Amino acid sequence: MSCSLGVIGLGRMAQVILLPLLERGDFRPDQVCGVVGQKASVQNAKEQLPRGVQVFSSDDPSSLVVWNAPIKLLAVKPQHLDAVEEMWNQVDMEAPSSDQLLISLLAGVNLKRLGAIFTDCSCVRAVPNTPALVGAGLTGLAWGDEITYEQKLLVEKFFKPISEVLELPETQLDAFLALASSGPAYVALIAEALADGAVAAGLPRLLANYLAHRTLFGTSLLLKEKALHPGQLKDMVASPGGTTITALRQLESAGVRSALMEAVVAAAERSRELA
Ligand SMILES: NC(=O)c1ccc[n+]([C@@H]2O[C@H](COP(=O)([O-])OP(=O)(O)OC[C@H]3O[C@@H](n4cnc5c(N)ncnc54)[C@H](OP(=O)(O)O)[C@@H]3O)[C@@H](O)[C@H]2O)c1
């Protein structure tokens, strides 16, 4: 038994990438196999995927087939990389083909480290974000030196249907992650806080949640469609002595702008630390 695409860590992000590939027929289910950490997760992963995709737990000797796949998607949490490395070193590889490809989603794990572990593979780092779930994601890609043109096209096939793809030097990937990949959590927190404020000011919860969400959505669309600088949009809304400038003054005195900047810098530093 062999498979074309082996997924190491069949969790949330791997499934976001994998399901569209299967839906579009880029891979048949029987060409895909994956491995999860715990036996208890096998059934759950199978239920999320089309029939025919094979799923193994990491301690199952049959999981060998995943490691031997010519294309590997590495999607475990960075803290599980040591366990993956241990497994990989125990794998008795079938004659490795020269064009093995490893796509890593791991935050902070650089190409040098990946290349040292997966010695027979061409490696690429991919940093997607969760709006990929609705086809509105962003993915940053940094290529290893040995990657071929054909492999680049193949990797793009994984990410273009769910996200806009940006090719970046690896040195920019931590900052990309800190904004684009962690960003949906910051924005969700802002949406929640805005809704809480509206509830405190007297609106019912459901209406407040809806208004917060629509305000973020509409603002984002307006910035994009009219190609506005954020400062221009702020100035359009804030009239002299009005409600908005009063609120903005409050935000500035609470240090919101600086807190957001520091959050992005801290996330980028954490990503570098994980390396
Ligand atoms: N979520 C995001 O927004 C996002 C964005 C960009 C990048 N990423 C990156 O994507 C990666 C995956 O994130 P996620 O959110 O998808 O995590 P997740 O849902 O927790 O999935 C991790 C998967 O790895 C499996 N696993 C754990 N130990 C393993 C081992 N030793 N061998 C094989 N599989 C093992 C887990 O199985 P068990 O459940 O059985 O332990 C699970 O299926 C991370 O490196 C993260 O940095 C995530």
Side-chain angles (χ1 to χ4, degrees), residues 7-17 34-42 44-45 56-59 67 74-85 87 104-109 126-131 138 177 180-182 184 274:
V7 184
I8 302 153
L10 248 174
R12 270 164 306 176
M13 202 28 103
Q15 290 177 25
V16 170
I17 295 163
V35 59
V36 292
Q38 319 288 324
K39 270 199 176 67
S41 312
V42 171
N44 183 39
F56 308 93
S57 62
S58 54
D59 60 354
W67 304 94
L74 180 63
V76 297
K77 294 279 189 201
Q79 57 269 34
H80 293 138
L81 184 61
D82 288 343
V84 165
E85 181 174 6
M87 286 291 300
S104 168
L105 303 186
L106 271 61
V109 178
V127 181
N129 71 357
T130 38
L138 279 171
L177 177 147
S181 192
S182 302
L274 287 171

Side-chain angles (χ1 to χ4, degrees), residues 105-255:
L105 303 186
L106 271 61
V109 178
N110 60 29
L111 287 164
K112 194 170 164 206
R113 173 130 192 246
L114 292 169
I117 299 173
F118 300 96
T119 40
D120 294 315
C121 299
S122 303
C123 297
V124 51
R125 281 181 68 189
V127 181
N129 71 357
T130 38
L133 266 171
V134 291
L138 279 171
T139 302
L141 293 177
W143 310 110
D145 292 337
E146 61 298 305
I147 206 99
T148 64
Y149 175 70
E150 288 71 25
Q151 287 174 327
K152 284 187 179 181
L153 293 183
L154 179 62
V155 172
E156 285 174 353
K157 233 178 169 179
F158 276 60
F159 296 101
K160 279 201 167 158
I162 53 168
S163 62
E164 189 180 330
V165 171
L166 290 94
E167 294 180 40
L168 300 168
E170 191 180 17
T171 48
Q172 292 181 9
L173 222 48
D174 297 300
F176 176 91
L177 177 147
L179 175 55
S181 192
S182 302
Y186 319 150
V187 175
L189 180 141
I190 291 167
E192 189 185 31
L194 291 173
D196 283 350
V199 171
L203 286 188
R205 167 59 66 185
L206 282 181
L207 179 60
N209 287 353
Y210 177 73
L211 295 181
H213 157 224
R214 288 301 296 181
T215 304
L216 288 176
F217 177 74
T219 306
S220 169
L221 198 63
L222 179 58
L223 283 170
K224 178 173 175 284
E225 297 287 306
K226 300 284 180 198
L228 290 172
H229 183 281
Q232 274 178 295
L233 177 51
K234 170 183 68 71
D235 291 351
M236 274 163 63
V237 183
S239 50
T243 53
T244 306
I245 196 68
T246 306
L248 287 170
R249 186 175 169 200
Q250 197 70 37
L251 289 172
E252 292 293 1
S253 79

